[in-house]
Amino acid sequence: MKILSIESSCDETAAALVEDGRKVLSSVVYSQIAEHRRYGGVVPEIASRRHTEQICAVTQQALDQGSLTLAQVDGVAVTAAPGLIGALLVGVNFAKSLAFAAGKPLIPVHHIRGHIAANYLAHPQLEPPFLCMVVSGGHTHIVMVEDYTTFRVLGRTRDDAAGEAFDKAARAMGFGYPGGVELDRAGKDGDPSKYSLPTPHVDGSPLDFSFSGLKTAVINLVHNASQKGEELDIPSLAASFGEKVAEIITQRLLLAQEETGAQVIALAGGVAANSRLRARLSAACKERGLPLYAPPLDLCGDNAAMIGAQAFYEYQAGHLAGWDLNAQATMDLAEQFESR
Ligand code: KG4
Ligand code: ZN
């Protein structure tokens, strides 16, 4: 089954062709980052306008690169939640119109389910059940993937998402938006034990996360140093921050593994590209004899191929949308879209 998928939940306009949930035939991503960087973050209205301008060209490119016409695809999938509502609506309305005009099934996909499914594209042997750590710009979830369309959230952030914490800490250190990648890169040459940062816990919820205290600690460090006229060792501060986040995530994920007895671990979302997190988690899983799967770097961030992968399994489970499909800014991972 060949699915044409569309993703427009934030600041990437993306389209892809995916076969049977596992094989990428084409994947095109138009990133708006350069424009949003000027404002220090994503401006929702600009994002919607750029999606509207780019979505036809991006989709045509995905069809051309996969050497298929719209008539040859077996379904149209789209990210329908969660995300920026105006941005989501562009993709939903576009995908719906394509499916309606071409007489194809319309498959709604939850963005975070898509991030998890990015792993299916790179690891043919990976099948549920597995325990997945989802770390993106807007979400931080420990998820038990019970089967392809059944999810149990075991832990989540109470404040900032992991990517948000990276971006805010990076901003305090003087990096541009989004600073996660630059902070990761700058920290490569730093000493991760130079700055001592707190390990925030959520009372009574050992699998939940809180990153705002960590971010505040970095901001305070930067302010105090500038007031005293002291120079900070930015590579070491970046390394200390990255290592602390990796330590917190690894500790909670392994606790969830002990509680669930999960035998396979996966990582997903934009922050899954972080080098310290990948290294630390992979060492911890190796020590316990647990296989760890993570998407290749180009499938960690937002893309439409991951939406096409998840869409195949949603289709098989009969999760199709009616012509009244709407976008939702928020939606629980365990919830299903209303079926036709
Ligand atoms: O999954 P994603 O592309 O978008 C959302 O669905 O939110 O994640 C984007 C987030 C940003 O916060 C970005 O700074 C972060 O992922 N990120 C990283 C790295 N690469 C991307 N954070 C830390 N280290 C990285 N290498
Ligand atoms: Zn995302």
Side-chain angles (χ1 to χ4, degrees):
M1 178 182 194
K2 297 183 182 88
I3 293 178
L4 169 66
S5 50
I6 308 288
E7 153 67 40
S8 72
S9 66
C10 191
D11 57 349
E12 261 93 29
T13 317
L17 287 169
V18 176
E19 188 167 4
D20 297 336
R22 296 281 176 168
K23 190 174 172 204
V24 183
L25 304 178
S26 67
S27 176
V28 178
V29 179
Y30 171 84
S31 175
Q32 309 175 359
I33 275 293
E35 191 169 2
H36 295 289
R37 189 171 287 138
R38 279 188 246 150
Y39 305 97
V42 176
V43 182
E45 187 179 329
I46 293 179
S48 307
R49 289 174 184 271
R50 293 302 162 263
H51 287 313
T52 303
E53 287 167 9
Q54 297 297 330
I55 203 155
C56 289
V58 165
T59 304
Q60 187 64 59
Q61 239 180 300
L63 286 166
D64 291 349
Q65 286 178 15
S67 304
L68 289 180
T69 62
L70 182 58
Q72 289 169 313
V73 305
D74 303 301
V76 180
V78 64
T79 305
L84 300 172
I85 191 66
L88 285 166
L89 281 166
V90 176
V92 166
N93 213 26
F94 179 75
K96 187 193 290 190
S97 307
L98 281 186
F100 182 75
K104 308 288 179 185
L106 178 63
I107 312 157
V109 176
H110 188 290
H111 182 76
I112 300 301
R113 293 188 185 196
H115 271 301
I116 296 171
N119 281 292
Y120 302 142
L121 297 168
H123 308 295
Q125 66 279 37
L126 177 64
E127 287 177 357
F130 59 89
L131 186 66
C132 188
M133 183 74 232
V134 182
V135 273
S136 75
H139 302 269
T140 306
H141 287 345
I142 299 179
V143 184
M144 191 65 209
V145 183
E146 291 177 336
D147 66 43
Y148 287 105
T149 59
T150 312
F151 302 81
R152 193 155 46 93
V153 177
L154 305 172
R156 62 177 80 225
T157 184
R158 296 295 183 97
D159 40 56
D160 292 347
E164 207 177 338
F166 265 107
D167 295 340
K168 288 177 179 171
R171 187 189 187 133
M173 291 181 218
F175 298 111
Y177 178 85
V181 190
E182 284 179 64
L183 190 151
D184 191 12
R185 209 175 294 134
K188 289 219 163 102
D189 305 320
D191 169 8
S193 58
K194 178 153 179 180
Y195 293 97
S196 141
L197 296 168
T199 306
H201 289 281
V202 179
D203 282 346
S205 303
L207 296 183
D208 280 349
F209 298 84
S210 166
F211 288 113
S212 72
L214 192 54
K215 164 201 73 189
T216 308
V218 170
I219 293 173
N220 289 343
L221 247 162
V222 172
H223 281 174
N224 289 342
S226 95
Q227 272 177 351
K228 289 184 197 151
E230 286 169 10
E231 199 155 317
L232 280 171
D233 173 359
I234 293 294
S236 294
L237 184 55
S240 304
F241 183 84
E243 200 57 41
K244 180 55 81 177
V245 173
E247 174 198 314
I248 293 168
I249 291 174
T250 303
Q251 180 264 329
R252 284 187 212 169
L253 186 57
L254 291 181
L255 187 60
Q257 186 275 325
E258 281 165 24
E259 284 187 8
T260 56
Q263 290 304 301
V264 178
I265 310 280
L267 196 55
V271 183
N274 184 263
S275 59
R276 287 183 187 273
L277 177 59
R278 284 173 98 102
R280 190 156 186 144
L281 200 53
S282 115
C285 287
K286 202 168 177 189
E287 205 180 291
R288 295 183 178 212
L290 296 164
L292 170 69
Y293 296 96
L297 296 188
D298 61 333
L299 289 175
C300 287
D302 289 348
N303 65 86
M306 67 187 199
I307 302 303
Q310 181 61 23
F312 174 69
Y313 297 103
E314 300 289 353
Y315 178 85
Q316 289 204 318
H319 299 158
L320 300 183
W323 298 124
D324 58 351
L325 175 67
N326 203 344
Q328 287 171 240
T330 58
M331 180 177 177
D332 202 87
L333 185 59
E335 236 180 285
Q336 311 289 2
F337 290 96
E338 266 176 46
S339 291
R340 172 151 48 185

